[in-house]
Amino acid sequence: QVQLVESGGGPVQAGGSLRLSCAASRPTFAVYSMGWFRQAPGKDREFVAAINLNSGSTYYADSIKGRFTISRDEDKNTLYLQMNSLKPEDTAVYYCATSAASAQRLPDRVDRWGQGTQVTVSS
C-alpha cells in the first residue's frame, strides 16, 4: 500500500507563503488523483485542492482559488501545495490524500490519507 508523508508546514505570518510536500512511498500506479484537505480546530475536515495525475488537470475549493496551487512531480512521486497570501483562517492541519477517482470526485472518494502537517498563520 502507498504510504503518504507530508512536510513543509510550520508557522508563518499573514501574507506569507509556504509549500507543502507529500511524498508517496512508491509509484502511484493505482491512483488516479491526489489532493489536499485541511482541518482547523473544532471544524470538519475540508477539501482544498486536487489534481489528476495523468492529465495534470486541477480542481480547487473556492475559498483558496487564486492563492493556492497544486502540482505534482511524477519522477519524485511527490505532490505539492504552494500556498501564497496566507491568512489566519488558513491555520489548520493539512492532509494529503489519494483516490482512484478523478480530481472532481476525490472529495467524496479518498482511499488513503497522510498523517498531516500543521500550518499556523499569525496575524
Side-chain angles (χ1 to χ4, degrees):
Q1 292 182 333
V2 175
Q3 301 296 319
L4 305 173
V5 179
E6 299 98 331
S7 61
V12 63
Q13 290 191 331
S17 298
L18 281 176
R19 188 177 81 156
L20 305 183
S21 299
C22 172
S25 59
R26 60 178 179 81
T28 52
F29 295 120
V31 174
Y32 192 90
S33 65
M34 295 183 71
W36 292 95
F37 290 74
R38 67 186 182 184
Q39 187 167 19
K43 295 188 177 181
D44 293 334
R45 190 173 299 188
E46 65 173 353
F47 169 75
V48 174
I51 186 168
N52 286 320
L53 297 185
N54 287 339
S55 67
S57 58
T58 56
Y59 179 51
Y60 293 96
D62 289 340
S63 60
I64 56 84
K65 275 183 182 177
R67 298 191 298 123
F68 292 8
T69 302
I70 189 171
S71 62
R72 86 275 191 240
D73 185 324
E74 294 181 70
D75 292 336
K76 295 182 179 179
N77 298 323
T78 301
L79 180 73
Y80 301 101
L81 185 68
Q82 177 67 43
M83 305 187 296
N84 298 329
S85 303
L86 283 162
K87 305 175 182 180
E89 51 263 43
D90 294 318
T91 295
V93 177
Y94 283 72
Y95 297 90
C96 173
T98 66
S99 177
S102 68
Q104 285 190 310
R105 292 181 56 202
L106 181 143
D108 298 316
R109 172 72 192 276
V110 172
D111 296 321
R112 182 156 295 275
W113 295 98
Q115 86 289 350
T117 185
Q118 176 71 48
V119 172
T120 303
V121 185
S122 59
S123 57

